[in-house]
Amino acid sequence: MSETQFFPEGSLIAVLTTQPLDRVLDYKAPDGGVLLGAFVEVPLGPRRVLGVVWGPGKGDYDINKIRPANRALDVAPMGDDMRGFLQRAADYTLTPMNAMLRLATRAPGLSDPPSMRKIYRRGEGEPDRQTDARRRVLETLSEYGNLAFTMGELSEMAGVTNSVIKGLVKQGVVREEAAPRDTPFARLDPEYGGKELSADQEAGAAELRAGVQSGTYGTTLLRGVTGSGKTEVYLEAVAECLRKGRQALVLLPEIALTAEFLTRVEARFGAKPAEWHSGVTMTERRRTWKMVGEGGVQMVIGARSALFLPYRDLGLIIVDEEHDTSYKQEDGVLYNARDMAVLRAALCEAQVVLASATPSLESWANAEAGKYKKLELTSRYGASVLPEMRAIDMRTEKLPASRWISPSLKAAVDARIAKGEQALLFINRRGYAPVTICRACGHQIGCDNCDARMVEHRFLRRLLCHQCGETKPMPEACPSCEVEGKLAPVGPGVERLAEEAQELWPEARQAVLSSDLFGSARALKESIQTIADGGADIIIGTQLVAKGHNFPLLTLVGVIDADLGLQGSDLRAAERTFQLMRQVAGRAGRSERAGLALLQTFQPEHPVIRAILTGDETGFWRAEADERRHAVVPPFGRMAGIILSGGDVAQVFDLGNALARNAGALHAIGAQVYGPAPAPIARVRGRHRVRLLVKADKSAPLQAALAQWVGQFRLKGDLRLAVDIDPQSFY
């Protein structure tokens, strides 16, 4: 069906709405007619709702009862490739189409007509008198850089009245501008600021440029050691995409990376691209959404949901740190942005670059099988060299029971501080201690709404549930036996490690990097910049520090508990431990100074630890692939998780047992069903959770069988069923 198909006024059109309905609805085309893919406002009962013209109407009931659409919206129609992408993604993830459309229309005010509006930015100077309300306005503006706010948005986010903002406008401290609601972004110049590349960087860039020049689909795994300059290489592919007049998308796994990355993009192309993530104001979100569809955006930097923007002509998708687990959406629509990027590119004849120092086994296997092209950068850029890797055998270290920094690691940190260099102490646990136990009765403080232990956050002086976010003050007495003074922390978290480091190095400047400790993305970015500028001697952090940051003075990385990720039954435990340890170690020695990574471990002979230390990445991936192939699990088999939840545990288990007993559709394709069993965390937010796991051969038609299987049951009351294709976590 052609993208330019036109439906004259009064003709029947099928409209897909964002409402929870299982079908498209028939309407009559509005005044002036509409194009296929047009965004329309249609009546649904007493309401007016958003929809997209999905094709011709069926007209299979009384034509006189079919209502006309109210109007077509003043936005670019949804193209064939985008409609196809939503349909294919829905089929793969077993998601209703209305939910997919909601994902693709997450911008405010799409139905508003074009007009001028007043926007507000940071002006010059300081107010004549500082008040708490004025301070909040200026902090909000500062936090979002030079992004524009409407009056309502700024007053709501700062928690002030409009009069406070107007007072600051009179003084010039806040600038009021009249601007069109949505304007194109500044043009990026592909010839502006290219860097001189090394020989292997130039070879990689040439191959990526050739792919973009072809104007066809292709996926390339860009694998390079940390510090090898992967970003500069794939920015050359972006430059080629801009030369061809097509749009480019760069996905990043962590919002904290965007500030540094935007600076690099501006230095390369002379202007900033559009942003799409949770740190962007609603005003800018709407502008980006509309300009992407009209072609007023050349490049978008975004989180995983940026895949669902209505690109006019998408020619290149970069998935940076493609192995990162944050690319998997774990609630609502369950999808993996890495896999959806490949699907989207295939439908619009675009190139995909999957970039990582430690690729996922799925991507590695696809490259080995020839489905993806493979590029490797084997040396660090410039004078920096890869860090030396060593293990500290904790079985031979003399360490008090309540301490976690070994004498060997302390000596190494001492040496680095003496040289004016930085050391990083890494532990992949947020908070102060993972468990708080009563030494009188043995009670462990748990969440009231979940079957999870509450984590002590001493900096906040509260207990926090990492599942539902519930918090409560740290009690003086045990909630069970009511004995005072017997509550004790068990195990280390990043805050407890910081406390120990403060005692060992009282004169050293410390910085703690954990997502819990920053109220905003802006504050986190500022802290990272301070560290990069040499404002700390010792950095204590969680996996947040492993994601692409560049600290020139950092020469020592100490991993406190390298064995932590090897525990449990997750089939990806070895892979994730390997990736995380290599990524963390890669923070060391990224300038001219040599780096050292020390891994504290009780299992120095473990195959994963040995692979990390020797750097035998190919050997590790082959061994891991052989294990997965033998077990017929991803990427050599297919899996799906079925998550059942409800307020009544008996009803949830009854549904699970009924599913297990009536799995003929799955058995017919040779699939196996495991469960039902309580989820590892069996209650979250007061809802009981039960899981089933489905395993099938790689070639099995799993989605069709799953749809037939779960379609046998109608859910009653508050029972919920979610299907997770290719599950990444099993909590």
Coordinates of all heavy atoms in Angstrom, one line a residue, residues 449 645-647 681-689 718-720:
N449 N 5.6 -4.4 51.4 CA 4.8 -4.6 50.2 C 5.4 -5.7 49.3 O 4.8 -6.1 48.3 CB 4.7 -3.3 49.4 CG 4.1 -2.2 50.2 OD1 3.0 -2.4 50.8 ND2 4.7 -1.0 50.2
S645 N 0.5 -12.3 38.1 CA 0.5 -11.5 39.4 C -1.0 -11.3 39.8 O -1.9 -11.2 38.9 CB 1.3 -10.2 39.2 OG 0.6 -9.4 38.3
G646 N -1.2 -11.1 41.0 CA -2.5 -10.7 41.6 C -2.4 -10.6 43.1 O -1.4 -10.9 43.7
G647 N -3.5 -10.1 43.6 CA -3.6 -9.9 45.1 C -3.8 -11.2 45.9 O -3.4 -11.2 47.1
I681 N 11.5 -13.0 43.7 CA 10.9 -12.0 44.6 C 9.4 -12.2 44.4 O 8.8 -11.7 43.4 CB 11.4 -10.6 44.3 CG1 12.9 -10.5 44.5 CG2 10.7 -9.6 45.3 CD1 13.5 -9.2 44.1
A682 N 8.8 -12.9 45.3 CA 7.4 -13.5 45.1 C 6.3 -12.4 45.3 O 5.2 -12.7 45.0 CB 7.2 -14.7 46.0
R683 N 6.7 -11.3 45.9 CA 5.6 -10.3 46.1 C 6.3 -8.9 45.9 O 7.3 -8.6 46.5 CB 5.1 -10.4 47.5 CG 3.8 -9.5 47.8 CD 3.2 -9.9 49.2 NE 4.2 -9.7 50.2 CZ 4.3 -8.7 51.1 NH1 3.4 -7.7 51.0 NH2 5.2 -8.7 52.0
V684 N 5.7 -8.1 45.0 CA 6.2 -6.8 44.7 C 5.0 -5.9 44.7 O 4.0 -6.1 44.1 CB 6.9 -6.7 43.4 CG1 7.3 -5.3 43.0 CG2 8.2 -7.6 43.4
R685 N 5.1 -4.8 45.5 CA 4.0 -3.8 45.6 C 2.7 -4.4 46.0 O 1.6 -4.1 45.6 CB 3.8 -3.0 44.3 CG 5.0 -2.2 43.9 CD 4.7 -1.4 42.6 NE 5.9 -0.6 42.3 CZ 6.9 -1.0 41.5 NH1 6.9 -2.2 41.0 NH2 7.9 -0.2 41.2
G686 N 2.8 -5.4 46.9 CA 1.6 -6.1 47.4 C 1.0 -7.1 46.5 O 0.0 -7.8 46.9
R687 N 1.6 -7.3 45.3 CA 1.0 -8.3 44.4 C 1.9 -9.6 44.4 O 3.1 -9.5 44.3 CB 1.0 -7.7 43.0 CG 0.0 -6.6 42.8 CD -0.1 -6.0 41.4 NE -0.5 -7.0 40.4 CZ -1.8 -7.2 40.2 NH1 -2.7 -6.6 40.8 NH2 -2.1 -8.1 39.2
H688 N 1.3 -10.7 44.5 CA 2.0 -12.0 44.5 C 2.3 -12.3 43.0 O 1.5 -12.1 42.1 CB 1.1 -13.1 45.1 CG 0.8 -12.8 46.5 ND1 1.6 -13.2 47.6 CD2 -0.3 -12.3 47.1 CE1 1.0 -12.8 48.7 NE2 -0.1 -12.3 48.4
R689 N 3.5 -12.9 42.9 CA 4.1 -13.1 41.5 C 4.5 -14.6 41.3 O 5.2 -15.1 42.2 CB 5.3 -12.2 41.3 CG 4.9 -10.7 41.4 CD 6.1 -9.8 41.5 NE 6.8 -9.7 40.2 CZ 7.9 -10.2 39.9 NH1 8.6 -10.9 40.8 NH2 8.5 -10.0 38.7
D718 N -8.2 -9.0 39.5 CA -7.0 -8.2 39.4 C -5.8 -9.1 38.9 O -4.7 -8.7 38.9 CB -6.6 -7.6 40.7 CG -6.2 -8.6 41.7 OD1 -6.4 -9.8 41.6 OD2 -5.5 -8.2 42.7
L719 N -6.2 -10.3 38.3 CA -5.1 -11.1 37.8 C -4.5 -10.5 36.5 O -5.2 -9.9 35.7 CB -5.7 -12.5 37.4 CG -6.0 -13.5 38.5 CD1 -6.7 -14.7 38.0 CD2 -4.7 -13.8 39.2
R720 N -3.2 -10.6 36.4 CA -2.5 -10.0 35.3 C -1.5 -11.1 34.7 O -0.9 -11.8 35.5 CB -1.7 -8.8 35.6 CG -2.5 -7.6 36.2 CD -3.4 -7.0 35.0 NE -4.2 -5.9 35.5 CZ -5.4 -6.0 36.0 NH1 -6.0 -7.2 36.0 NH2 -6.1 -5.0 36.4

